[in-house]
Amino acid sequence: MLSKQQLIEYSEDARKNYVNHISIDCVVFGFHEGQMKVLLLKTNDEEKWYLPGGFVLKEEPIDNAAVRILQERTGLNKIFLQQFRVFGDPDRSKFHNDMYADMLPKEDNWFSGRFISIGYYALVDFFDVTPQPDQFSELCAWRDLDDMPEMQLDHENIYKSALDALRLQLNYQPIGYNLMPREFTMPELQKLYEAILGKKLDRRNFQRRILAFGILNRSEEPRKGGAHKAPYLYSFDMKNYQHALTEGFKGGW
């Protein structure tokens, strides 16, 4: 929580540098130990959590602002970002009008009034991320998809909308390159799809369909070690993967 003086200084600086009443909220997805995860921030001295976000500099393209914001929170330079929705319901203003309302009058408080927020989701490698809190938070950490905490503002709605958009993407574009290690087994890739979709998939049908897309290369040697028959390792065929991202493919899960 900012002090009154910090809020005054932040509001003055924001009015000089940022586009007024436009914000960016980012839903960062990672995958680890068979679980989809979301990167969240925890407010100082409070139990509620919120999504990474920020504002657009006056001379900054919106996509560049989203990349900058996520670089600050994750430490990553190259991030897969997808703009998925604009949140502009007039009712959003009631959330912002309550922020620091007891510390500054509305006309002096940067956070008051109606903000239109542009939603992005990002797919990142869990192990490449170094979570960094912002000046309003005490913690930046991963939370499991099935263990999401209470969230501030309308961030639960933004997160659920991002998850819906990601699930929709599975129907016409490949997913996995930004979430999986360089080499992986077919069961590991299936776990990723199941974690996103929130349902079990038939093993044989999944393998048949994912191979039919032509986006995977199978190694000549299976994974070594283990008591059972070693599974083969796969990697993404990046030429075909990029083509599928551009042209899409038909089908659904």
Side-chain angles (χ1 to χ4, degrees), residues 66-78:
V67 170
R68 170 180 55 79
I69 290 165
L70 286 185
Q71 283 178 341
E72 293 170 355
R73 301 285 74 77
T74 66
L76 298 179
N77 292 318
K78 294 183 179 180

Side-chain angles (χ1 to χ4, degrees), residues 26 38-44 46-54 69 72-73 131-143 149-152 155:
C26 302
V38 178
L39 194 67
L40 297 179
L41 295 144
K42 182 178 177 296
T43 313
N44 291 326
E46 295 185 20
E47 289 303 318
K48 291 185 179 180
W49 297 66
Y50 61 97
L51 297 167
I69 290 165
E72 293 170 355
R73 301 285 74 77
Q132 296 289 334
D134 61 20
Q135 66 193 99
F136 305 102
S137 60
E138 63 182 11
L139 180 65
C140 181
W142 292 104
R143 297 296 299 255
E150 184 179 359
M151 300 176 74
Q152 291 187 340
H155 285 195

Side-chain angles (χ1 to χ4, degrees), residues 14-173:
R15 281 191 289 270
K16 291 178 183 177
N17 296 299
Y18 295 128
V19 179
N20 198 21
H21 297 300
I22 294 179
S23 60
I24 289 176
D25 288 303
C26 302
V27 184
V28 183
F29 292 107
F31 184 66
H32 180 55
E33 295 182 344
Q35 293 280 339
M36 282 295 291
K37 297 179 180 290
V38 178
L39 194 67
L40 297 179
L41 295 144
K42 182 178 177 296
T43 313
N44 291 326
D45 303 321
E46 295 185 20
E47 289 303 318
K48 291 185 179 180
W49 297 66
Y50 61 97
L51 297 167
F55 305 104
V56 183
L57 294 169
K58 290 183 177 179
E59 302 299 324
E60 184 179 39
I62 291 175
D63 286 349
N64 290 12
V67 170
R68 170 180 55 79
I69 290 165
L70 286 185
Q71 283 178 341
E72 293 170 355
R73 301 285 74 77
T74 66
L76 298 179
N77 292 318
K78 294 183 179 180
I79 302 174
F80 176 87
L81 270 176
Q82 183 74 41
Q83 186 183 132
F84 67 93
R85 184 177 161 185
V86 174
F87 297 85
D89 194 307
D91 287 344
R92 298 189 82 241
S93 61
K94 68 182 180 182
F95 299 114
H96 291 277
N97 285 335
D98 290 340
M99 294 182 68
Y100 304 105
D102 58 335
M103 298 173 66
L104 282 181
K106 183 177 179 179
E107 61 271 17
D108 295 330
N109 183 358
W110 168 259
F111 296 98
S112 67
R114 181 180 178 184
F115 272 84
I116 294 172
S117 186
I118 302 166
Y120 286 83
Y121 69 78
L123 306 178
V124 300
D125 188 324
F126 176 89
F127 292 103
D128 289 342
V129 172
T130 304
Q132 296 289 334
D134 61 20
Q135 66 193 99
F136 305 102
S137 60
E138 63 182 11
L139 180 65
C140 181
W142 292 104
R143 297 296 299 255
D144 289 348
L145 219 60
D146 57 2
D147 184 33
M148 294 291 286
E150 184 179 359
M151 300 176 74
Q152 291 187 340
L153 306 175
D154 58 345
H155 285 195
E156 181 177 354
N157 178 44
I158 295 174
Y159 146 70
K160 288 182 176 179
S161 298
L163 183 58
D164 288 342
L166 180 60
R167 287 170 172 167
L168 182 62
Q169 184 185 337
L170 282 181
N171 291 326
Y172 62 89
Q173 285 183 316

